[in-house]
Amino acid sequence: MGQAFRSHTCGELRASHVGERVMLSGWVHRRRDHGHLAFFDLRDRYGITQVVTNAHEAAEAHVAAEPVRNEWVVQVEGAVRHRPPGTINAELATGEIEVAVDAFTVLNASKVPPFYVNEEQPGLDESLRLTYRYLDLRRPPLQGRMLLRAHLASAVRRRLEAAAFVEVETPTLIRSTPEGARDFVVPSRVQPGKFYALPQSPQQLKQLLMVAGYDRYYQLARAYRDEDLRGDRQLEHTQIDIEMSFVAAEDVMATVEEMVTAVSREVLPDRPIMQTPFPRLTYEEAMSRYGSDKPDLRFGMELVDLGEAVGDVDFRIFSEALAGDGAVYAIRAPGCGNYSRRQLDELIDLAQRHGAKGLIHVSVQADGSLHGPLAKFLSLTQTQEILEATAGEAGDLLLAVADPDRLVAAGALGRLRLEMGQRLDLRDASTLAYVWVYPFPMFKWDGDLGRWDATHNPFSAPLWDEEAAMEADPGAVHAQQYDLALNGWELGGGSIRIHRRDLLERAFALMGHSVDGMRDQFGALLDSLEYGAPPHGGIAIGLDRWSALLADQDNIREVMAFPKTQSGSDLMMGAPSPITPEQLAELSLRVVDQDRERS
Ligand code: ASP
């Protein structure tokens, strides 16, 4: 440590230092006065040390400390001594000692902060925290999370470098590369009317690096997506971006799994990984068993397909759902048979908000009969079959969603599954349940546009043995696309890419791109495929989401130093902000509709 201000940090001193003269600098975490003694908890990011001024032993220091309040920055000198018996603080790493101060210097005063820095303040106004983010970042919980994030990033780098990955920085002023969100654009001054896009991901660039022979690339890359903010989304995020050559999907998944496992164990040795190798589900399995393509595997409560059990029930909602390709799915909520009308209404509302037309609920009675709106439509055998299929027991609540679109039924019930998992406290908070979902359907039909669209990345390759069928039945083709989920969040995703130009052109043509349109948007990538592009694939893992999950947070703001609000504002710096007429003129820009400018 620099000797001008300190000989040690505030987290460093132990009983073995007793008798030494030391110098500490830090923030006053708390002050307590006892007659001629004043106790200060001095804090820096390494810890807290108790320092004491004594009016009888060092009057000058005691007087100098007189005006000092919380969050003032001070420097003290003195001798380390044992704390008196009975005052040892086992919770504190430095809790056996204190510093008897003989010189006290105020380095800087502090106004009374707008919130407590030294205490948790549940319910503290988020906008206050964001406006004074530098004070929020000073608080030990947030500081702890920032350190965890730094540890995570450093562990990732070390593991990847040990596995021969090369870090390459790609530019952030690029041409648009689509990831399904809106671009942020930056006007060019020297080429009026033209714009750069901020990368939604370095996708095309990392593929070009594979063509260039870099073999194993990684970057902790910033990605920008102009989309609505949510708990797991900000306008910009950091991704652990990876691309590899001469690999099949299995190779990428194995490499990533090894890194993820090692890093989790290094950063949080106490948190068990639910299963290694990570379980694997196809997209179809994930949807039909968990109603989600990012399933939370910390608890069971799997969806049950009731198609067979209720196939001949004379109930319009069921017959409509089952007439075509639809489904009736159910889950069993153990012990919830006594849910009140209000509780049931909440569940119905939740199901409807997630796309279900309605929610069918029945409770299992002590005599094995079912109670609820559906019951009167059921024969004894049908009741029996439902109970068998769901393993329903007396006291349980059975929830079902029927829909002519089986994904809609599964998706809505999947949300209810999460809700019930939370209400019934079925999720072990410490477990890390990583799961791969692979493969995914390659295309989905976009009814609005009247064409097929990539479900993920337009550069993803089909399963090689399905390639020939691409045009004949696009909806049935799968992409070599893998997603990694953790505790119900999508942690990352990637794919094996198309490395042959003819195939990429075929895929793009299915998605309605003309050859000219493709040239215009993806010219370099298309051309590069004709200059010896190796087979390649990769993945991107969200560093913010991973940090949040490891830090037990449900909003990525809690692991970002300077995040934005829900409406995309930086309250501390005041962004976004208008620019001056001169700047606009220089950029050949005019704001056409002032009313639409958001404040
Ligand atoms: N570019 C993709 C994304 O950002 C990840 C990948 O396919 O490597 O989601």
Side-chain angles (χ1 to χ4, degrees):
M1 284 298 145
Q3 290 294 317
F5 288 99
R6 55 188 171 182
S7 60
H8 296 80
T9 70
C10 296
E12 209 175 337
L13 298 174
R14 301 285 183 273
S16 57
H17 293 94
V18 167
E20 279 182 39
R21 256 197 88 67
V22 297
M23 197 197 304
L24 300 180
S25 289
W27 287 263
V28 173
H29 190 65
R30 196 167 272 124
R31 165 185 187 129
R32 291 180 308 280
D33 288 277
H34 287 291
H36 64 287
L37 296 174
F39 294 86
F40 300 85
D41 286 342
L42 210 57
R43 183 193 70 234
D44 61 18
R45 87 163 159 88
Y46 308 95
I48 289 180
T49 301
Q50 175 167 297
V51 307
V52 192
T53 61
N54 183 327
H56 299 160
E57 287 170 9
E60 210 176 310
H62 191 75
V63 171
E66 191 56 39
V68 171
R69 295 292 173 266
N70 286 356
E71 299 313 313
W72 287 40
V73 192
V74 303
Q75 179 185 17
V76 299
E77 276 177 71
V80 182
R81 68 181 180 209
H82 285 289
R83 290 198 193 190
T87 63
I88 287 174
N89 182 349
E91 313 250 297
L92 216 55
T94 61
E96 280 184 75
I97 55 91
E98 62 188 16
V99 175
V101 176
D102 53 40
F104 198 111
T105 314
V106 171
L107 298 175
N108 214 341
S110 171
K111 287 190 183 176
V112 175
F115 45 80
Y116 292 112
V117 173
N118 59 8
E119 265 175 46
E120 288 281 6
Q121 246 176 302
L124 175 60
D125 179 20
E126 176 89 27
S127 55
L128 204 57
R129 288 180 59 198
L130 290 172
T131 307
Y132 294 93
R133 191 62 164 176
Y134 46 92
L135 294 179
D136 196 21
L137 282 164
R138 201 187 272 174
R139 303 166 93 203
L142 184 49
Q143 211 162 70
R145 292 197 289 275
M146 294 313 299
L147 297 180
L148 181 139
R149 179 188 172 118
H151 187 180
L152 182 65
S154 118
V156 166
R157 286 178 193 282
R158 275 182 278 113
R159 301 282 165 180
L160 290 176
E161 276 161 20
F165 283 85
V166 185
E167 179 165 20
V168 182
E169 288 175 90
T170 54
T172 47
L173 293 176
I174 64 166
R175 169 158 195 146
S176 170
T177 183
E179 291 286 353
R182 232 174 264 119
D183 283 326
F184 277 102
V185 295
V186 179
S188 161
R189 178 181 55 80
V190 287
Q191 298 185 41
K194 293 193 178 165
F195 294 81
Y196 302 97
L198 301 181
Q200 293 186 36
S201 88
Q203 184 62 35
Q204 295 184 64
L205 298 163
K206 68 176 174 174
Q207 290 193 236
L208 291 166
L209 286 169
M210 294 303 104
V211 181
Y214 283 76
D215 198 63
R216 290 182 157 211
Y217 142 93
Y218 89 96
Q219 181 184 193
L220 299 197
R222 197 59 66 79
Y224 305 85
R225 300 182 187 179
D226 187 0
E227 53 193 359
D228 292 338
L229 279 74
R230 295 194 312 223
D232 59 356
R233 268 193 200 157
Q234 282 270 322
L235 299 179
E236 50 187 305
H237 69 274
T238 306
Q239 53 187 40
I240 304 162
D241 200 39
I242 287 175
E243 198 73 7
M244 304 165 74
S245 289
F246 304 112
V247 285
E250 294 297 334
D251 302 315
V252 181
M253 286 191 274
T255 307
V256 169
E257 188 161 327
E258 214 174 275
M259 182 273 282
V260 166
T261 309
V263 167
S264 299
R265 291 197 172 129
E266 174 183 329
V267 176
L268 288 176
D270 296 336
R271 288 188 66 174
I273 295 176
M274 195 189 71
Q275 191 183 320
T276 53
F278 300 163
R280 260 204 223 172
L281 300 167
T282 65
Y283 169 77
E284 288 80 5
E285 279 170 334
M287 288 308 295
S288 64
R289 291 174 57 189
Y290 300 98
S292 168
D293 60 1
K294 39 183 190 298
D296 188 343
L297 295 198
R298 284 174 298 173
F299 67 104
M301 202 185 272
E302 291 192 22
L303 274 50
V304 177
D305 188 339
L306 281 189
E308 234 159 72
V310 303
D312 54 359
V313 175
D314 187 16
F315 186 53
R316 196 172 47 85
I317 296 170
F318 286 171
S319 38
E320 274 178 13
L322 295 172
D325 237 0
V328 180
Y329 285 114
I331 51 171
R332 176 177 81 96
C336 297
N338 58 356
Y339 259 32
S340 66
R341 187 67 244 171
R342 189 180 54 79
Q343 286 172 305
L344 290 170
D345 283 343
E346 283 168 7
L347 298 182
I348 293 170
D349 184 52
L350 182 73
Q352 286 175 337
R353 270 187 284 126
H354 289 90
K357 293 194 183 64
L359 176 69
I360 300 141
H361 52 87
V362 285
S363 55
V364 186
Q365 307 298 299
D367 62 2
S369 65
L370 294 177
H371 178 78
L374 173 68
K376 62 173 181 287
F377 297 95
L378 300 174
S379 71
L380 216 54
T381 336
Q382 287 164 340
T383 301
Q384 225 26 62
E385 281 178 26
I386 291 177
L387 286 177
E388 254 164 53
T390 55
E393 289 176 10
D396 292 348
L397 177 67
L398 305 180
L399 300 167
V401 176
D403 201 277
D405 183 337
R406 54 175 46 237
L407 291 179
V408 169
L413 202 58
R415 280 294 315 161
L416 279 165
R417 173 183 173 268
L418 291 180
E419 174 71 19
M420 295 317 294
Q422 185 172 8
R423 286 184 186 217
L424 296 172
D425 202 13
L426 300 177
R427 304 170 308 180
D428 175 12
S430 78
T431 302
L432 298 171
Y434 292 101
V435 51
W436 287 108
V437 178
Y438 172 81
F440 275 83
M442 181 145 169
F443 301 108
K444 59 174 183 284
W445 180 253
D446 186 325
D448 294 338
L449 297 176
R451 62 170 174 80
W452 294 98
D453 202 5
T455 54
H456 281 78
N457 197 309
F459 309 109
S460 298
L463 290 180
W464 297 126
D465 58 0
E466 292 182 358
E467 175 192 333
M470 221 165 67
E471 284 79 5
D473 194 358
V477 175
H478 290 88
Q480 298 190 51
Q481 164 82 36
Y482 29 78
D483 275 7
L484 181 62
L486 169 57
N487 294 1
W489 281 27
E490 181 190 331
L491 196 59
S495 63
I496 297 299
R497 327 294 182 188
I498 294 174
H499 66 282
R500 284 180 5 235
R501 179 170 181 140
D502 64 311
L503 186 56
L504 191 56
E505 286 188 350
R506 277 171 57 202
F508 279 171
L510 266 170
M511 292 183 266
H513 291 285
S514 67
V515 172
D516 283 349
M518 285 190 289
R519 287 219 124 272
D520 187 42
Q521 254 197 300
F522 313 112
L525 183 63
L526 277 169
D527 286 346
S528 80
L529 299 186
E530 293 184 304
Y531 287 95
H536 62 283
I539 194 167
I541 292 172
L543 181 67
D544 313 277
R545 288 186 186 175
W546 200 8
S547 310
L549 286 162
L550 295 187
D552 273 328
Q553 297 300 311
D554 51 23
N555 197 310
I556 58 172
R557 278 204 293 259
E558 295 299 338
V559 291
M560 298 175 96
F562 300 108
K564 299 196 174 46
T565 63
Q566 195 74 25
S567 58
S569 301
D570 174 340
L571 295 179
M572 187 182 63
M573 306 280 279
S577 64
I579 55 174
T580 63
E582 293 73 27
Q583 284 175 301
L584 281 172
E586 214 169 46
L587 295 167
S588 316
L589 290 179
R590 200 167 33 193
V591 176
V592 286
D593 187 350
Q594 296 283 352
D595 293 341
R596 286 186 53 208
E597 270 190 275
R598 310 222 176 117
S599 54

